[in-house]
Amino acid sequence: NENPLGPSERVVERVRAISPEQISRYQHPSEKLKQELSGFLEVDESRLMLVDGCDGGIEIFAQTFFMEETEVAIPAPSFHRYRVHSEKMGANIRPVLPESGYHPSIDRLKEIDSDFMFLANPQNPSGERFGVDDLRELIEGFDGHLILDEALAHINQDHTTLVSENVTVLGSFSKVFGLAGLRAGYIFSDQTSELKKCSSPFKISSVAQEAVSEALKDEKHLEKTRNLIETELSFLKSGLRQLGLDHSDSKSMTLLIDLSESEFRGRASELSSKLEHKGVKVVEGNNFSGLGQSSLRISVRDRESNEKFLRLLSDVLDNPIEIKEMKGEK
């Protein structure tokens, strides 16, 4: 689920221009970069903290606030690293299963009695997204601290306006910015002074900081990426429907294929193996807590890759479709 376009050319050029001296020196998180990021997000700079991706943010938060007997709610299915970092600190995990579909409802989440809750928005693996009003309702009803993971967001969701004493937002430069290999992200929180006490002062590299600074300035690449994701996501959804396959209501660059009404119901691993034999790698749903052997996660790529995937999937299902006649539907 990386950016199909990769990083912008401006970022590549800036990284190439980094001097050997800069690489050889230690560098703390740049105050100038924090200023640039606060301007980009339109948030208070003092509440920002630069980290090594969303995973780094999850780790720091867990190390700072979790301990034995801490209750951590994790909606299922979701990113497995929430559980990994929580259990490492001895916290008790409280999985929250959906009533139906791919994530619990806001009403269900409001009922949860726990100290903390991780919530990816958009969700990983489904790509489905809660609206700001839904999240405000959750915040009003949930007594613990909400950690909102926006790693898969590719549009302005305005969720930084929700940050308060009981809400933290995690952001990433891995996906829409195309910098996954450089490990860069941020925490937006009222708890940054406490978080810094448990974090290394060298949490984000000098190379990553240079790349992020340039990526924030390349609005054309961001817009091109957003348009590509939305167009190709629509294209994939249309193709899956023509093949008679249901899918999650994704608003991101990843979505789930529902095999429960297909001949591969309960046999996602078999379909995955057939596709991999043809040169296409997908993720089986049972890699995520709460999903069984009737779903696959796929990612939005470029048109050529998406067409190839649909053709190969059509071959495996023995259900021909005419790619040229397909039209994306939003």
Side-chain angles (χ1 to χ4, degrees), residues 155-171:
I155 59 174
N156 180 13
Q157 300 186 127
D158 201 32
H159 294 161
T160 47
T161 62
L162 302 174
V163 169
S164 66
E165 183 180 353
N166 295 317
V167 182
T168 290
V169 168
L170 306 178

Side-chain angles (χ1 to χ4, degrees), residues 81-93:
R81 299 294 286 177
Y82 305 148
R83 175 180 288 275
V84 169
H85 290 303
S86 299
E87 289 182 339
K88 188 165 61 175
M89 301 308 298
N92 294 326
I93 307 300

Side-chain angles (χ1 to χ4, degrees), residues 18-44:
I18 294 175
S19 68
E21 290 77 18
Q22 184 173 352
I23 293 173
S24 69
R25 293 171 182 163
Y26 290 105
Q27 182 174 330
H28 289 75
S30 165
E31 292 301 317
K32 181 175 181 294
L33 177 55
K34 284 179 61 179
Q35 292 173 3
E36 293 171 350
L37 181 57
S38 68
F40 181 85
L41 297 173
E42 299 181 350
V43 299
D44 181 3

Side-chain angles (χ1 to χ4, degrees), residues 36-271:
E36 293 171 350
L37 181 57
S38 68
F40 181 85
L41 297 173
E42 299 181 350
V43 299
D44 181 3
E45 176 191 340
S46 66
R47 300 159 85 189
L48 278 173
M49 182 176 175
L50 296 169
V51 294
D52 50 340
C54 267
D55 185 60
I58 297 164
E59 180 181 39
I60 293 170
F61 201 95
Q63 289 176 343
T64 305
F65 296 110
F66 297 178
M67 60 186 73
E68 290 187 9
E69 307 306 322
T70 299
E71 294 283 336
V72 180
I74 303 179
S78 62
F79 186 39
H80 71 284
R81 299 294 286 177
Y82 305 148
R83 175 180 288 275
V84 169
H85 290 303
S86 299
E87 289 182 339
K88 188 165 61 175
M89 301 308 298
N92 294 326
I93 307 300
R94 183 167 184 178
V96 188
L97 298 175
E99 307 93 310
S100 61
Y102 297 111
H103 60 75
S105 67
I106 291 295
D107 288 338
R108 172 79 175 100
L109 295 174
K110 287 192 301 183
E111 296 173 353
I112 302 303
D113 181 18
S114 65
D115 302 306
F116 298 89
M117 180 187 296
F118 283 107
L119 186 65
N121 199 46
Q123 293 280 94
N124 184 2
S126 72
E128 296 179 338
R129 189 175 69 210
F130 289 112
V132 174
D133 290 340
D134 292 326
L135 293 173
R136 288 197 176 101
E137 182 182 342
L138 170 59
I139 292 165
E140 290 175 2
F142 177 60
D143 292 331
H145 191 106
L146 178 66
I147 306 114
L148 193 60
D149 177 359
E150 297 195 336
L152 282 174
H154 70 277
I155 59 174
N156 180 13
Q157 300 186 127
D158 201 32
H159 294 161
T160 47
T161 62
L162 302 174
V163 169
S164 66
E165 183 180 353
N166 295 317
V167 182
T168 290
V169 168
L170 306 178
S172 174
F173 295 97
S174 296
K175 307 298 190 294
V176 67
F177 290 94
L179 305 180
L182 290 177
R183 310 307 306 137
Y186 61 87
I187 300 174
F188 182 50
S189 177
D190 282 350
Q191 317 296 328
T192 52
S193 60
E194 293 299 314
L195 291 164
K196 287 177 182 177
K197 294 177 183 178
C198 293
S199 174
S200 165
F202 312 109
K203 198 65 175 168
I204 178 171
S205 74
S206 59
V207 176
Q209 292 185 66
E210 291 288 338
V212 169
S213 178
E214 197 64 38
L216 292 174
K217 300 179 179 71
D218 197 342
E219 296 182 4
K220 289 184 178 180
H221 184 73
L222 283 176
E223 188 62 24
K224 186 177 180 180
T225 297
R226 291 176 180 131
N227 289 338
L228 176 71
I229 292 170
E230 293 182 14
T231 299
E232 293 306 310
L233 177 62
S234 176
F235 178 77
L236 282 171
K237 287 179 177 179
S238 177
L240 293 173
R241 285 193 293 270
Q242 288 194 40
L243 288 169
L245 297 173
D246 290 331
H247 54 77
S248 59
D249 185 24
S250 175
K251 300 293 191 297
S252 185
M253 58 180 67
T254 181
L255 72 159
L256 285 173
I257 299 175
D258 182 0
L259 303 173
S260 59
E261 300 299 324
S262 78
E263 62 179 292
F264 284 96
R265 177 180 180 178
R267 297 186 293 131
S269 59
E270 182 181 341
L271 178 55

